[in-house]
C-alpha cells in the first residue's frame, strides 16, 4: 500500500489544550497541530499566529473568551506559511504585524505556499471557503518593534533566520515568556522546507540568551519551566543538525537526493520517528538540506506540482 503524501492521511481531530504560560499569557496547542499564543493586556488582547482557517481561529477565540472579554486588537504572524496566517480574518484585529521579510515572502510566494499546503493538510483546511484571500500586514518591522497593550510591553523581534528567513519572536518581559513560532518545537518535527540550516542553531542560541521562564513553541506542548525550555531548545537544535549533517556529507561526495534521503533516515529515525509530523516533514527537509548543502541560500518556492514531483522521486 502506498504511503500517504505529507498529512493527507491524517484526518483525526486533535485534542485542544489551553495552557497558562505566565500571568495573562496562554498557549493554544493541539497535539502537534499549529499552536497559537494569547497575550492579554490591560484593555485588549494580542494573538500570535492565526491558524489555517477562520474555522480553526474560532476555536482559539472560544478559548480566549473563557478567560477574558477584552477585544482582540493585535495579531502577530511569525512567518508567512498558510497554516499560520489564513485564519486571520476571524479575529477582527485592527493591527496585523509581521516582519518586512515575511511581508515580502507573502508577495513572492504566498499564493504558491497556500496551494501547496492545501494539498498537504486537508484536515487543517476544512472550511477553507471562508478564507478571503492572502493575509497582509498593516504594520511591519525590520529588526524589532514594541507594542504596549496598556502597561504591558510586548517586544516583537527578528533574532535570525531559522524556519524561514523572516521569523519573528514575541517577548513579554514582565513574565519572561517568549512565543517563538516554528523556530522551536517540542516533540514535533521541525519543518525545514523553507529553512536555513546553517543559521538555525545560532537563532536558537539567541533565544536562549533571554533565559525564558516559559516558551510557547510552534508545535507541541507549552514549555513551562527552565527544564522544559532547555530540553526543547536542545532537541530542536539536535533535530536541525541531525538532518543537515548527513546531507552535507552526501553532497560533498557528489551523491544524489535519494542517497541524502537514506542518510537522513538513518540518522534521524532512531531519535525522532515518533515526533508529530515527522514523516510529513522529512521529504521537504531533505530536499531543502540538499539545496543548501549545494550552496542555494534562498529556498526554492514550493508549489503543489513541485511537491508531487519531489515525493514521486523519493518514492522511486
Amino acid at each position: 500500500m502506498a504511503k500517504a503524501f505529507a498529512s493527507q492521511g491524517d484526518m483525526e481531530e486533535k485534542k485542544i489544550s489551553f495552557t497558562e504560560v505566565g500571568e495573562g499569557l496562554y498557549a493554544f496547542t493541539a497535539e502537534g497541530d499549529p499552536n497559537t499564543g494569547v497575550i492579554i493586556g490591560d484593555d485588549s488582547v494580542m494573538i500570535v499566529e492565526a491558524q489555517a482557517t477562520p474555522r480553526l481561529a474560532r476555536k482559539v477565540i472560544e478559548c480566549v473568551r473563557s478567560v477574558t472579554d477584552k477585544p482582540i486588537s493585535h495579531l502577530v504572524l511569525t512567518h508567512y506559511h498558510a497554516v499560520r496566517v489564513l485564519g486571520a480574518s476571524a479575529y477582527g484585529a485592527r493591527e496585523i504585524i509581521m516582519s518586512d521579510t515575511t511581508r515580502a515572502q507573502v508577495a513572492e510566494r504566498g499564493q504558491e505556499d497556500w496551494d501547496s499546503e492545501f494539498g498537504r493538510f486537508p484536515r487543517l483546511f476544512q472550511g477553507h471557503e471562508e478564507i478571503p484571500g492572502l493575509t497582509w500586514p498593516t504594520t511591519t518591522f525590520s529588526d524589532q518593534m514594541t507594542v504596549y497593550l496598556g502597561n504591558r510591553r510586548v517586544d516583537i523581534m527578528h533574532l535570525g533566520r531559522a524556519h524561514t528567513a523572516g521569523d519573528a519572536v514575541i517577548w513579554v518581559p514582565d513574565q519572561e515568556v517568549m512565543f517563538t513560532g516554528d523556530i522551536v518545537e517540542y516533540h514535533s518535527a521541525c519543518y525545514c522546507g523553507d529553512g536555513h540550516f546553517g543559521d538555525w542553531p545560532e537563532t536558537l542560541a539567541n533565544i536562549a540568551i533571554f533565559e525564558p521562564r516559559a516558551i510557547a513553541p510552534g508545535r507541541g506542548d507549552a514549555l513551562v519551566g527552565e527544564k522544559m525550555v532547555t530540553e526543547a531548545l536542545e532537541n530542536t537544535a539536535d533535530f536541525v543538525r541531525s538532518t543537515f549533517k548527513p546531507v552535507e556529507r552526501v553532497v560533498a561526495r557528489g551523491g544524489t537526493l535519494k542517497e541524502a534521503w537514506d542518510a537522513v533516515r538513518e540518522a534521524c529515525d532512531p531519535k525522532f520517528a515518533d515526533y508529530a509530523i515527522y514523516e510529513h516533514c522529512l521529504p521537504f527537509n531533505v530536499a531543502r538540506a540538499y539545496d543548501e548543502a549545494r550552496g542555494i541560500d534562498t529556498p526554492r518556492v514550493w508549489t503543489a506540482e513541485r511537491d508531487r514531483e519531489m515525493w514521486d522521486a523519493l518514492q522511486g
Side-chain angles (χ1 to χ4, degrees):
M1 182 177 178
K3 187 181 295 184
F5 169 68
S7 291
Q8 288 180 347
D10 178 11
M11 298 302 293
E12 182 178 344
E13 288 291 323
K14 307 301 182 184
K15 179 183 176 182
I16 291 170
S17 299
F18 194 59
T19 305
E20 190 169 22
V21 293
E23 184 177 346
L25 307 174
Y26 295 86
F28 174 99
T29 67
E31 299 183 304
D33 275 0
N35 294 343
T36 291
V38 177
I39 301 170
I40 301 175
D42 294 329
D43 302 312
S44 67
V45 177
M46 175 182 285
I47 301 293
V48 179
E49 311 287 45
Q51 296 285 320
T53 63
R55 170 183 173 269
L56 288 173
R58 287 193 289 272
K59 294 186 178 185
V60 176
I61 294 168
E62 286 178 13
C63 291
V64 172
R65 292 295 163 242
S66 73
V67 294
T68 183
D69 60 0
K70 295 174 183 177
I72 295 169
S73 58
H74 294 75
L75 172 62
V76 182
L77 302 171
T78 67
H79 61 286
Y80 71 94
H81 285 156
V83 292
R84 299 295 183 180
V85 305
L86 293 180
S89 62
Y91 298 99
R94 66 175 184 264
E95 296 285 345
I96 300 176
I97 300 168
M98 60 178 69
S99 71
D100 293 336
T101 300
T102 293
R103 190 197 184 283
Q105 290 181 310
V106 173
E108 176 196 35
R109 58 183 68 195
Q111 186 62 55
E112 291 84 353
D113 181 73
W114 181 353
D115 295 342
S116 173
E117 293 201 35
F118 183 85
R120 302 181 196 181
F121 291 107
R123 175 173 53 81
L124 294 183
F125 283 97
Q126 292 174 357
H128 64 91
E129 299 84 0
E130 291 185 84
I131 300 170
L134 292 173
T135 300
W136 297 96
T138 61
T139 304
T140 64
F141 68 97
S142 55
D143 298 315
Q144 179 173 337
M145 67 176 289
T146 297
V147 173
Y148 283 92
L149 301 173
N151 290 318
R152 168 157 270 177
R153 174 175 175 156
V154 181
D155 295 325
I156 306 167
M157 301 171 285
H158 175 67
L159 297 180
R161 303 190 303 181
H163 178 68
T164 71
D167 292 334
V169 303
I170 297 85
W171 173 245
V172 185
D174 69 84
Q175 293 292 298
E176 298 178 352
V177 172
M178 187 171 283
F179 299 81
T180 64
D182 286 314
I183 300 173
V184 180
E185 312 288 24
Y186 185 68
H187 288 279
S188 179
C190 299
Y191 174 76
C192 311
D194 301 298
H196 296 269
F197 288 93
D199 294 359
W200 203 320
E202 182 179 352
T203 303
L204 289 167
N206 290 338
I207 289 171
I209 289 170
F210 286 81
E211 298 182 350
R213 293 184 184 179
I215 283 177
R219 293 176 184 264
D221 294 344
L223 310 169
V224 180
E226 180 183 352
K227 181 178 179 181
M228 284 190 77
V229 166
T230 300
E231 179 189 352
L233 291 171
E234 291 177 351
N235 282 1
T236 301
D238 186 32
F239 186 98
V240 171
R241 291 191 181 101
S242 296
T243 302
F244 190 57
K245 290 298 182 183
V247 178
E248 272 194 315
R249 290 192 288 269
V250 169
V251 168
R253 65 172 187 263
T256 66
L257 179 64
K258 182 61 167 64
E259 289 172 331
W261 164 266
D262 292 338
V264 172
R265 293 220 75 123
E266 183 179 356
C268 289
D269 283 8
K271 294 192 283 188
F272 307 117
D274 63 341
Y275 278 25
I277 68 166
Y278 175 74
E279 293 291 341
H280 172 121
C281 293
L282 199 62
F284 303 98
N285 294 358
V286 173
R288 172 55 192 151
Y290 191 75
D291 279 354
E292 185 169 326
R294 291 183 298 145
I296 300 173
D297 183 66
T298 300
R300 290 189 286 155
V301 177
W302 289 102
T303 65
E305 294 74 22
R306 185 182 170 212
D307 285 359
R308 181 52 60 187
E309 289 172 2
M310 175 271 297
W311 180 246
D312 289 345
L314 290 177
Q315 296 306 299

